[in-house]
Amino acid sequence: MRIIALSTLRIFWESNSKYADSTEPTLAWYRYALKADWATPTDVKRDFGNASILKDGRVVFNIAGNKYRLVVWINYAYRVVYIRFIGNHAQYDKIDVQTI
């Protein structure tokens, strides 16, 4: 998969030292997703059973033991993952996951 953009993740963990614990789990997700070949939402669920599949290609991943949420939009036809949001649960609760 092609992932756009690692810089979004980097900005998150570098923006505040209290998010530093998200660095390794997020990079682990990133490395795994780079090598994945997700053609359908079922492929994502096969690899990440706790991922939440939403409408229109949106997927929510639990990161660092469910301490953080990662929202992506996947264009399955072109095998591209667009990172839309990463944050803790309080930050996640403030967004509309379908429009972010």
Side-chain angles (χ1 to χ4, degrees):
M1 303 296 289
R2 184 169 168 224
I3 303 172
I4 302 174
L6 177 60
S7 61
T8 304
L9 301 176
R10 185 174 291 120
I11 289 167
F12 176 71
W13 71 64
E14 290 178 353
S15 68
N16 191 322
S17 61
K18 68 181 179 181
Y19 303 139
D21 64 334
S22 69
T23 304
E24 285 306 314
T26 304
L27 283 173
W29 173 88
Y30 179 83
R31 289 182 198 112
Y32 190 94
L34 274 177
K35 295 176 183 174
D37 184 21
W38 297 328
T40 66
T42 304
D43 295 336
V44 176
K45 281 299 265 188
R46 180 194 64 229
D47 291 347
F48 291 93
N50 64 353
S52 299
I53 306 296
L54 307 177
K55 296 185 293 186
D56 301 325
R58 303 252 182 195
V59 180
V60 180
F61 294 94
N62 297 318
I63 302 293
N66 202 21
K67 187 173 181 181
Y68 301 101
R69 295 277 175 93
L70 173 64
V71 179
V72 303
W73 177 74
I74 301 175
N75 183 324
Y76 293 100
Y78 290 97
R79 306 298 199 275
V80 179
V81 177
Y82 298 90
I83 296 172
R84 307 299 299 158
F85 169 85
I86 183 168
N88 61 32
H89 283 269
Q91 294 163 330
Y92 175 82
D93 289 342
K94 293 178 183 176
I95 66 166
D96 179 356
V97 73
Q98 287 299 130
T99 60
I100 196 161

